[in-house]
Amino acid sequence: MTTITITKASDGSYKWIECNGHAGFAEYGEDIVCAAISVLTINTINSVEKFTDDKILTSQNEEKGILRLEFEDIPSKEADLLMRSFELGVTSIYEQYGKKFLNIKFRRE
């Protein structure tokens, strides 16, 4: 199962997201749920880096299936839109494939 943690500040701004684990929908290399989550996450990270001036920290551990994006400051309007798009995408995956393969946690710090 993949767990996605979306953490926001008390004012609602995004602080960090982390995707952890492999979905387990199918064998490695054929897992469409894991692939969809990975594409959304990597595209979001790349988009924030390319289309905004936001300073972010990223980390990954391919073996454990961990991808993380953390904002150093309050995200810009552009970065916020990209993050809301990410949230929409992963929520849609959750609605289609259910809690057997994906868990989304929302946190406030």
Side-chain angles (χ1 to χ4, degrees), residues 14-105:
Y14 289 92
K15 292 189 78 169
W16 55 270
I17 57 168
E18 182 176 279
C19 300
N20 191 340
H22 296 285
F25 179 79
E27 293 296 318
Y28 180 80
E30 300 195 12
D31 192 328
I32 61 171
V33 175
C34 204
I37 294 165
S38 295
V39 166
L40 280 171
T41 306
I42 292 166
N43 188 64
T44 299
I45 292 169
N46 290 341
S47 295
V48 170
E49 288 178 330
K50 174 110 175 140
F51 301 123
T52 76
D53 293 325
D54 293 75
K55 295 198 185 310
I56 60 172
L57 303 170
T58 60
S59 59
Q60 69 177 8
N61 182 320
E62 192 173 327
E63 204 172 284
K64 293 181 181 180
I66 299 173
L67 282 169
R68 183 178 170 105
L69 161 82
E70 184 172 350
F71 289 93
E72 289 188 15
D73 297 311
I74 295 171
S76 64
K77 285 194 269 185
E78 296 83 5
D80 182 73
L81 178 61
L82 293 167
M83 297 303 295
R84 286 188 289 138
S85 178
F86 170 80
E87 192 173 322
L88 174 66
V90 295
T91 301
S92 296
I93 294 169
Y94 178 80
E95 289 170 358
Q96 184 167 356
Y97 292 97
K99 57 186 166 184
K100 183 176 179 185
F101 304 107
L102 176 59
N103 180 31
I104 303 173
K105 296 179 183 179

